[in-house]
Amino acid sequence: MLDKYQETQPIVYKILKNAVSKDKFSHAYLFETNGFYDNYNLILAFTKALLCPNKHTNNENCQNCNQCHQIESGNFPEIEIITPDGMWIKKEQLQKLQAEFNKKAIIGNKKIYIIKEAEKLNKQAANSILKFLEEPEEGIIAILMTNNIYETLETIRSRCQIIKLKKDETILNVKNTKIKLAHILYEKDELEEPEEEKLNTVIKFINYYEKHHLDTILYMQKLWHYQIKTKEELLIAFDIMILYYKDILNYINGQALEIFNENEAEINALANKNNIQTVCFKLKILTEFKEKIKYNANINLLMDKLIITLEGR
């Protein structure tokens, strides 16, 4: 229930609690999850409160009501959840949603749709959702989720109330790099063996590239392609690279490492080979190329071009 997040997300809790208690909620919310581990459960808790006829934000007075259990199990008829179909959320998924929401509510007077990874709305799907957002129907509430609001379309951002979750400081204070990345990248407690292997692949790749630069292209098959094969794996690999270079930047600036505490010796060596400007340049390139993954069919060519671009050529 929503009251659970009073301490971990105090600002967000106050905003959402007021929306429920005063019955002054937005027709559309865009949640920036910001790596907060329990983000989806928080959004479900907000959904429960919005749909609760008594506006309860805890279960002390719920008695035998089973509505929350239906919501948790995904069987509540007034909630639709949209997740990416592969790399994208597609227009057909939004069309199906619109057809469902044209029907009258069976329970209560509100319908809620939740879109996970809203940055993966393709252009056609984004245009469909814009019509929903521009001309909201009474009793229909949109909740969009993304880890970075700037990866979503500006036209969508401008039509939503933006809610930014606070980073989970307890996870950042954990010393174990693998546990941190399990929470941040996969929203679970620990990495499985294949995920651990891919993490090691990415770190070895960065260290090899920083030593050999353009010659890295000659060994891409062994360094990279044997382990990172799909676009989904490539997106995660780019997230790891971005986080790694951010920690290199932290080290250069004399700040504490956020993620890769166990790689301090390697990060120290790379910090001595770079400066603030070069690391910022590399972060910019990595961010740009991460966006290109969605549109690029050939992973091998993309990675070759990445190396060339990082070398400023």
Side-chain angles (χ1 to χ4, degrees), residues 75-91:
N75 294 319
F76 195 71
E78 314 309 344
I79 298 175
E80 290 288 334
I81 299 171
I82 306 294
T83 58
D85 180 5
M87 292 293 296
W88 298 101
I89 297 169
K90 297 172 182 175
K91 182 180 179 180

Side-chain angles (χ1 to χ4, degrees), residues 32-296:
E32 184 175 41
T33 56
N34 208 14
F36 179 61
Y37 174 56
D38 212 23
N39 60 77
Y40 183 61
N41 285 329
L42 183 152
I43 287 166
L44 271 190
F46 178 46
T47 302
K48 291 175 188 176
L50 285 171
L51 293 170
C52 178
N54 300 309
K55 302 179 183 178
H56 288 159
T57 54
N58 60 63
N59 56 12
E60 292 177 5
N61 301 311
C62 289
Q63 298 178 352
N64 295 321
C65 172
N66 70 350
Q67 182 166 299
C68 288
H69 297 298
Q70 282 184 284
I71 292 171
E72 288 171 2
S73 64
N75 294 319
F76 195 71
E78 314 309 344
I79 298 175
E80 290 288 334
I81 299 171
I82 306 294
T83 58
D85 180 5
M87 292 293 296
W88 298 101
I89 297 169
K90 297 172 182 175
K91 182 180 179 180
E92 293 74 20
Q93 293 175 271
L94 274 296
Q95 288 174 332
K96 183 180 177 183
L97 171 70
Q98 288 170 321
E100 286 294 321
F101 274 45
N102 282 333
K103 301 172 185 177
K104 189 176 180 181
I106 300 170
I107 302 173
N109 59 0
K110 295 187 187 76
K111 283 176 169 279
I112 296 175
Y113 62 95
I114 300 171
I115 299 180
K116 295 183 175 182
E117 299 182 73
E119 71 278 4
K120 293 185 179 179
L121 285 159
N122 69 20
K123 290 180 181 179
Q124 292 81 8
N127 287 334
S128 295
I129 201 70
L130 278 175
K131 293 176 183 177
F132 250 32
L133 299 178
E134 288 169 347
E135 302 170 8
E137 295 183 28
E138 187 176 353
I140 295 181
I141 301 168
I143 298 178
L144 284 67
M145 301 170 60
T146 181
N147 198 48
N148 183 349
I149 59 170
Y150 297 107
E151 291 184 355
T152 62
L153 294 174
E154 195 280 330
T155 48
I156 289 177
R157 296 199 303 268
S158 65
R159 288 163 176 79
C160 297
Q161 180 179 346
I162 293 174
I163 305 289
K164 295 188 176 187
L165 301 184
K166 180 184 174 186
K167 279 187 179 180
D168 191 346
E169 299 297 334
T170 58
I171 295 302
L172 291 178
N173 289 333
V174 170
K175 296 298 181 185
N176 189 303
T177 296
K178 293 171 187 175
I179 292 176
K180 285 183 183 179
L181 289 174
H183 281 258
I184 293 168
L185 299 177
Y186 300 99
E187 297 188 359
K188 58 186 181 182
D189 292 328
E190 58 184 26
L191 296 178
E192 296 174 16
E193 187 175 339
E195 294 158 353
E196 220 175 290
E197 289 175 1
K198 287 174 177 56
L199 168 62
N200 293 332
T201 294
V202 174
I203 293 174
K204 287 177 183 176
F205 171 78
I206 292 171
N207 284 284
Y208 190 93
Y209 161 71
E210 286 288 339
K211 185 176 181 180
H212 298 279
H213 300 283
L214 199 59
D215 287 347
T216 306
I217 291 176
L218 301 174
Y219 302 96
M220 286 300 297
Q221 198 70 26
K222 182 179 178 181
L223 289 168
W224 190 267
H225 299 311
Y226 285 150
Q227 279 290 339
I228 314 295
K229 298 176 181 178
T230 68
K231 287 188 177 182
E232 288 79 5
E233 291 171 348
L234 193 59
L235 283 168
I236 293 288
F238 267 73
D239 282 335
I240 295 170
M241 286 195 286
I242 289 167
L243 290 170
Y244 201 85
Y245 275 100
K246 281 183 177 178
D247 258 353
I248 294 172
L249 192 60
N250 285 332
Y251 196 94
I252 292 172
N253 286 324
Q255 297 173 348
L257 300 180
E258 286 190 14
I259 309 294
F260 295 93
N261 311 77
E262 297 171 352
N263 300 87
E264 186 171 354
E266 294 167 313
I267 286 175
N268 174 32
L270 298 188
N272 290 329
K273 292 182 177 182
N274 287 274
N275 55 42
I276 292 173
Q277 289 72 29
T278 58
V279 176
C280 287
F281 170 75
K282 289 170 183 176
L283 282 168
K284 177 177 178 289
I285 298 303
L286 287 168
T287 303
E288 289 174 355
F289 269 73
K290 182 188 170 187
E291 184 62 25
K292 291 179 181 180
I293 294 169
K294 301 173 187 176
Y295 307 97
N296 200 298

